[in-house]
Amino acid sequence: MITLLDYGAGNVRSVINAIEHLGEAVKIVASARDIETAGQLVFPGVGAFGSMMHRLQELKLVAPLREYLSADRPFLGICLGMQALFEGSQEAPGVPGLDFLPGRVVRFNTDLSVPHIGWNGIRALQPSPLFAGMNGQERLYFVHSYHVQADNDTDVLTMTDYGYPFVSAVQRGQVVATQFHPEKSGAAGLTLLANFLAGKTIPTTPEKTPERTSLAKRIVACLDVRANDQGDLVVTKGDQYDVREAGEVRNLGKPVTLAQRYFEQGADEITFLNITGFRDFPLEDLPMLEVLRRTSERVFVPLTIGGGIRDYTDAAGHTYSALEVAGAYFRSGADKVSIGSDAVLIAEAYLKTGTASGKSAIETISRVYGNQAVVISVDPRRIYVENPEACRHALIKTDYPGPAGERYCWYQCTIKGGREGRDLDAVTLARVCERLGAGEILLNCIDRDGTNSGFDIELIKAVSTAVTIPVIASSGAGNPAHFQNVFVQTEAEACL
C-alpha cells in the first residue's frame, strides 16, 4: 500500500493512475495519522508554493511531514513536492517550507522561455536505487518556473541544464524528490517510479552521464472533440474550423482510443479541445470528464483540456467560477487547461481599464495551480491593411501580399469558434495574457486550419518574439518538413 498526500490542488489523478498501473494500491492521506503509519509516502506537489504550504498548515500536516522526513523513511516528492523540502521560495516570500534540506527555491533567470516546459535530460551526480534499469540518456517531463538552489552538494542527486545547470532531483537517505514528473514521463518515468515503489535499496549509477542536457522540441497531438448528431463524443477535424462534411460531423474515432494510440506512437503531449465547450457548461459535460479520467489511466504524458473554462451561472441561479471548472478538469486527469474565447474578453477588459481585476480565469487559476497550468488558445485570422499608418494593431510586413497587393497585415483575434472577430490582435492578446499569469500560448491560425500547406511562420515569429512564455505552433501541418520549418525559423517550443 502506497500512501499519497493530496492536499487538494492540481492533478494527482495521474500519479495515482501510474502507481496503480504498476500494480500497487493507493491510500490517500486523510489525517496526520496516515502519514505517521505510512510505509512509503508519495507527495506530488502541484501549483503555487504559497498555496501549497498554506493548505498543508490548514490540514495540520506540516509537523507530521517533518517528523516523517526526519525519521529517514521512504519518501518521494514530485515537482512542488521537492521544492517543499527546502526553507522557502522566491515565489512566496515569507512563507516557510518544510525546512528539511538547506537551500531555497528561486525563479529561472534566463533569456529562455519560462516556464521550463517539456522533455529534458538529467545528469546523475551520485548513485541511487531510482536509477535501476536506466541508461542515463532518458528524457523526462518538466513543467516549472522555479528551481531549487541546494546549499549542500551531497543532497543533489541530478542536475539538468536550462540556460544554466539547476538541481533536478535530490536525495538524502531514503528521502528522494524530483523536479520532473515521473508519472508524465512515459516509459522512463514509470521505470523510475517502479524502482521507488519496489523499495529498491541498492544504489545504481546510470550507464552514461551526459556532459550537458537540452530541452527537446515537443510534438503535441491535438484531438478536437465534440458531440456528433447522435450525441456521441467523437474526434473530428476542421477545415478552417468547419467540422462538417456532407452535412455530418467528421468522425475520426473515439477520443480515448486515439489518445492512447498517439501516446504509444510517441506524442510528447495530448491536447483535447472540447470545441462545443463555449456553448455547454463543462461541469455538466460528464462524458468529457469521463474521457479525461479514462485517458489518464492509459496515457502517461501531459494532458491538456480546453473548452468552457469560464465563470458560469446555471438555470437554478448557482454560479460556478472558472477556478471550480478548472479544478474539476484537474481532478479528472488534466495537467493544464486551455482558455480560448474568454481570454480575448479578459484581455479586452484589461486594456480598457489598464488594471488587472485579480478575478479573471487566467489570474485565479494561475494563482492556485501555477502559471504552467494555464494555456491560452488563440484563434486569429489574417487581416490585410492598405494603409499601415492608419492601423493601430501590431502589424507585420508580409512576404505574401493580399488580394490587392497589400504588404502589411495584422492577426485578428476571434471568439466563438472563429465565428466572431474582435478589435484585438494576437500579439497584444499574448502579451496581456502573459502579464495576467498565463504560462503558455497555443497559437492557431484560421487561415491555415485544415489546409496542409504549412504553418503561418510570420504569425508564429510575431507572437513568439513578443512573449517570454512558451509558444505552441498550430494549424496547417501537412508533412514532417512543416514541423522542421517551425523549429528552424521561429522560437516556438512545440508544434501541434
Side-chain angles (χ1 to χ4, degrees):
M1 177 69 71
I2 306 299
T3 303
L4 184 136
L5 176 53
D6 175 11
Y7 58 92
N11 173 20
V12 300
R13 169 53 52 188
S14 294
V15 182
I16 295 171
N17 289 339
I19 294 172
E20 292 179 342
H21 175 78
L22 293 168
E24 295 286 348
V26 176
K27 178 181 180 180
I28 305 296
V29 170
S31 66
R33 177 66 177 164
D34 291 331
I35 294 178
E36 295 167 4
T37 59
Q40 292 174 287
L41 181 62
V42 177
F43 180 13
V46 181
F49 188 94
S51 298
M52 171 190 65
M53 292 308 304
H54 287 310
R55 185 60 180 152
L56 292 176
Q57 291 283 5
E58 289 175 357
L59 296 172
K60 296 182 171 52
L61 297 179
V62 172
L65 265 174
R66 285 174 172 158
E67 292 176 9
Y68 185 96
L69 294 165
S70 298
D72 190 27
R73 296 165 64 188
F75 175 92
L76 174 62
I78 298 173
C79 194
L80 209 57
M82 179 177 103
Q83 296 180 10
L85 298 177
F86 290 81
E87 299 168 38
S89 174
Q90 208 174 63
E91 186 180 14
V95 177
L98 295 174
D99 200 13
F100 174 68
L101 299 177
R104 293 191 61 80
V105 181
V106 299
R107 184 173 171 84
F108 274 108
N109 182 17
T110 175
D111 292 334
L112 300 175
S113 297
V114 177
H116 171 223
I117 297 180
W119 298 73
N120 208 329
I122 56 174
R123 186 166 59 254
L125 301 188
Q126 57 176 298
S128 171
L130 291 185
F131 295 147
M134 300 183 71
N135 63 27
Q137 295 183 313
E138 293 85 358
R139 289 186 183 272
L140 301 146
Y141 184 76
F142 292 81
V143 53
H144 59 121
S145 299
Y146 294 80
H147 66 86
V148 162
Q149 286 184 338
D151 288 349
N152 292 345
D153 291 343
T154 54
D155 293 328
V156 179
L157 179 59
T158 69
M159 299 289 288
T160 295
D161 297 293
Y162 190 65
Y164 50 85
F166 70 91
V167 177
S168 52
V170 294
Q171 176 178 269
R172 178 184 286 188
Q174 294 194 87
V175 174
V176 293
T178 66
Q179 183 61 67
F180 53 85
H181 288 261
E183 78 285 4
K184 290 294 176 182
S185 297
L190 291 177
T191 296
L192 187 146
L193 183 58
N195 289 337
F196 173 79
L197 299 180
K200 290 185 180 291
T201 58
I202 300 175
T204 302
T205 301
E207 298 173 12
K208 299 180 180 179
T209 301
E211 293 184 6
R212 181 176 178 81
T213 73
S214 61
L215 182 68
K217 297 293 187 179
R218 288 173 285 149
I219 301 298
V220 182
C222 182
L223 290 80
D224 290 340
V225 180
R226 65 158 291 164
N228 61 16
D229 297 332
Q230 290 72 45
D232 301 317
L233 280 183
V234 300
V235 175
T236 189
K237 178 177 174 59
D239 181 357
Q240 296 186 311
Y241 289 31
D242 180 4
V243 300
R244 289 186 178 271
E245 188 172 45
E248 297 288 331
V249 173
R250 293 185 185 89
N251 183 351
L252 303 184
K254 296 181 178 180
V256 177
T257 301
L258 286 176
Q260 183 175 3
R261 185 185 305 168
Y262 284 132
F263 164 62
E264 293 170 349
Q265 291 174 348
D268 295 316
E269 297 186 26
I270 304 291
T271 294
F272 288 115
L273 293 183
N274 185 0
I275 60 176
T276 53
F278 61 88
R279 290 195 294 265
D280 303 320
F281 179 42
L283 295 187
E284 294 175 355
D285 192 355
L286 298 180
M288 192 65 223
L289 294 175
E290 183 62 19
V291 163
L292 272 177
R293 293 188 191 100
R294 290 170 53 205
T295 300
S296 68
E297 293 173 356
R298 309 177 188 187
V299 172
F300 299 102
V301 294
L303 300 176
T304 301
I305 177 69
I309 313 293
R310 68 185 191 280
D311 297 339
Y312 182 87
T313 301
D314 64 18
H318 184 82
T319 297
Y320 301 84
S321 69
L323 182 61
E324 291 176 278
V325 175
Y329 277 146
F330 290 136
R331 287 189 297 275
S332 297
D335 300 286
K336 298 182 277 188
V337 294
S338 176
I339 303 174
S341 294
D342 254 38
V344 176
L345 304 180
I346 290 166
E348 288 175 344
Y350 173 87
L351 292 169
K352 183 176 181 179
T353 64
T355 59
S357 69
K359 299 178 180 179
S360 72
I362 300 171
E363 295 164 274
T364 57
I365 297 170
S366 64
R367 191 158 53 238
V368 173
Y369 295 104
N371 64 342
Q372 74 285 342
V374 180
V375 181
I376 303 302
S377 181
V378 188
D379 295 325
R381 64 163 61 95
R382 180 178 286 224
I383 303 294
Y384 285 100
V385 175
E386 185 175 344
N387 180 9
E389 295 180 359
C391 181
R392 61 184 182 82
H393 295 293
L395 285 174
I396 296 171
K397 187 174 183 180
T398 178
D399 292 333
Y400 306 96
E406 301 96 335
R407 297 309 305 262
Y408 289 87
C409 68
W410 64 284
Y411 288 90
Q412 179 187 44
C413 293
T414 68
I415 61 175
K416 299 179 180 178
R419 297 199 304 274
E420 181 180 321
R422 308 292 290 189
D423 189 25
L424 177 66
D425 64 81
V427 171
T428 301
L429 173 67
R431 284 174 172 158
V432 170
C433 290
E434 178 182 15
R435 201 171 303 151
L436 293 176
E440 203 166 21
I441 302 294
L442 171 54
L443 186 58
N444 305 298
C445 179
I446 293 176
D447 308 291
R448 296 296 180 99
D449 182 62
T451 64
N452 296 327
S453 60
F455 297 91
D456 190 325
I457 298 295
E458 293 179 333
L459 168 63
I460 298 164
K461 279 184 177 179
V463 174
S464 61
T465 57
V467 296
T468 64
I469 57 179
V471 172
I472 303 171
S474 177
S475 305
N479 60 60
H482 292 150
F483 292 90
Q484 185 177 12
N485 290 342
V486 169
F487 292 141
V488 170
Q489 299 180 42
T490 80
E491 299 298 317
E493 282 80 5
C495 282
L496 181 146

